[in-house]
């Protein structure tokens, strides 16, 4: 009988949100998250697979162009585009970052261009990401990118 009472009591203590560990969010964390997002794009720009793999989690997932992409699929698609002569220019705007102990989200505008030079077309994306703190630092776990229509030149 005593065991029947102890188990629910122990579970109530463990599950109590007031007992949850809290971590202060520091500006240094936000800076590291921002650096991690930019490192992912730098790796894609330079076709650096090892740097890309270090910037994302093993279970990375992206939503882009109306479909899901694994890390391997996203990297290979961009790598193949570069091999075929396509240029993709990204300019990451100011990044808004929020987070806690082991997770963070970031949101930004990405303005650039893509195409085969010299016929580059202007591009604009609204993007967000979820990042996870790992032993080796902050890594992108999820990326969402929405392409916006670019107004025609006046």
């Amino acid at each position: 009988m005593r065991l029947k009472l102890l188990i629910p009591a122990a579970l109530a203590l463990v599950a109590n949100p007031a007992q949850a560990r809290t971590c202060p969010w520091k500006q240094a964390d936000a800076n590291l998250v921002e650096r991690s997002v930019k490192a992912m794009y730098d790796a894609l720009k330079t076709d650096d697979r090892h740097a890309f793999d270090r910037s994302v989690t093993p279970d990375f997932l992206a939503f882009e162009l109306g479909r899901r992409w694994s890390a391997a699929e996203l990297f290979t698609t961009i790598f193949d585009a570069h091999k075929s002569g396509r240029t993709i220019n990204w300019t990451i705007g100011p990044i808004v970052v929020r987070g806690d102990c082991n997770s963070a989200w970031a949101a930004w505008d990405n303005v650039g261009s893509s195409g085969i030079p010299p016929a580059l077309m202007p591009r604009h994306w609204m993007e967000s990401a979820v990042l996870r703190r790992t032993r080796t630092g902050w890594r992108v776990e999820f990326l969402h990118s929405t392409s916006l229509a670019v107004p025609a030149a006046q």
Side-chain angles (χ1 to χ4, degrees), residues 119-140:
L120 296 178
M121 300 298 294
R123 299 293 310 267
H124 185 182
W125 301 269
M126 286 181 12
E127 298 178 325
S128 60
V130 174
L131 290 90
R132 181 82 44 219
R133 187 192 309 263
T134 68
R135 289 182 296 101
T136 58
W138 288 97
R139 298 171 88 182
V140 178

Side-chain angles (χ1 to χ4, degrees), residues 90-114:
W90 296 290
T91 303
I92 307 301
I95 300 176
V96 176
V97 178
R98 302 286 185 271
D100 62 20
C101 296
N102 296 311
S103 62
W105 66 261
W108 61 93
D109 278 284
N110 184 348
V111 178
S113 60
S114 67

